[in-house]
Amino acid sequence: MNTKKRILDEALKLFSEKGYANVFVAEIAEAVGIKAPSLYKHYKSKRDIFNAILDEMKQSYDKQAEALNMNGNNPSADAEVFSAVSEDDLVKMGMGLFMYFLHDEYAQKFRKMLTIEQFHNAELSELFTKQYADDPLSYQSAMFAMLSAKGVLKQQNPNVMALQFYAPIFMLLTMCDREPQRESELIKLLEQHIRQFSRIYSKEENR
């Protein structure tokens, strides 16, 4: 593993354990096994490291979405995808994303860091809300509105539909974070949730 990647890995590990504000560049360098001046050859500051972690996460997420035959960022593109999938395919895609967020090392540790920092750092609190509430709800609301317009889903308030779909998923994710021994139990509940949501909102002729 190259030094730049090791810096990101060790920094995120420290951020997730101590919180972003409580980690200093010298600590990151020590964890990597280099001196601080050597670290600055790769990243200008702790914030530069943080931004590189964000970029790394986005690239990883995009690859995972592509592997599941979806865009993951563009609701219009994904409305086309989801309008043609079966319930089993929907479950497979939903569970695939869930398992990615649950077990991907960067996604898991980043979520833990923001959970710690949301009550101490206003900027990271806003990022927490954007990352785990506003962006997912906005994406899903737009997609549900398009699927309703296509006649795939029943015509209902797409904002409420997004909340009803996403909120239990995020709750199950955080429960798995806290109690990993319950993962198999909660994964079964996740599948039941996705299937029931699909059956409630799908048009009869599309089932």
Side-chain angles (χ1 to χ4, degrees), residues 10-29:
E10 294 297 338
L12 184 56
K13 179 181 178 182
L14 289 168
F15 293 160
S16 70
E17 293 171 350
K18 302 175 66 174
Y20 177 79
N22 295 321
V23 175
F24 300 93
V25 170
E27 285 181 82
I28 300 171

Side-chain angles (χ1 to χ4, degrees), residues 184-201:
S184 60
E185 166 203 347
L186 298 173
I187 291 298
K188 290 177 184 176
L189 190 57
L190 171 65
E191 178 180 352
Q192 293 167 0
H193 164 62
I194 295 172
R195 291 190 185 280
Q196 181 167 301
F197 181 91
S198 176
R199 292 170 188 176
I200 288 172
Y201 283 112

Side-chain angles (χ1 to χ4, degrees), residues 44-168:
K44 297 176 183 178
S45 63
K46 184 171 75 168
R47 187 54 190 242
D48 196 26
I49 295 172
F50 182 87
N51 290 337
I53 289 171
L54 284 176
D55 289 342
E56 187 85 9
M57 286 179 53
K58 184 180 187 310
Q59 292 176 29
S60 175
Y61 169 74
D62 288 346
K63 287 180 183 178
Q64 178 65 23
E66 184 179 0
L68 293 168
N69 299 314
M70 57 185 290
N71 179 281
N73 299 293
N74 184 332
S76 180
D78 284 336
E80 293 295 328
V81 173
F82 286 112
S83 65
V85 300
S86 66
E87 182 182 291
D88 286 342
D89 287 334
L90 181 63
V91 169
K92 181 180 178 181
M93 296 165 83
M95 305 235 337
L97 278 181
F98 184 90
M99 296 302 286
Y100 163 76
F101 281 112
L102 180 61
H103 290 297
D104 178 81
E105 189 174 6
Y106 269 45
Q108 182 188 59
K109 289 179 178 177
F110 192 80
R111 186 169 59 252
K112 184 176 180 181
M113 177 197 69
L114 290 187
T115 300
I116 293 171
E117 288 291 337
Q118 65 179 313
F119 302 109
H120 307 290
N121 183 309
E123 182 182 4
L124 295 187
S125 177
E126 289 180 11
L127 181 58
F128 182 95
T129 300
K130 181 177 186 299
Q131 187 96 359
Y132 302 114
D134 289 346
D135 283 358
L137 289 172
S138 176
Y139 161 82
Q140 290 171 19
S141 177
M143 187 171 63
F144 289 148
M146 293 174 198
L147 289 171
S148 295
K150 289 174 177 289
V152 177
L153 299 180
K154 295 175 182 177
Q155 290 282 352
Q156 297 289 336
N157 185 324
N159 295 323
V160 175
M161 292 171 71
L163 189 63
Q164 290 173 334
F165 181 72
Y166 176 69

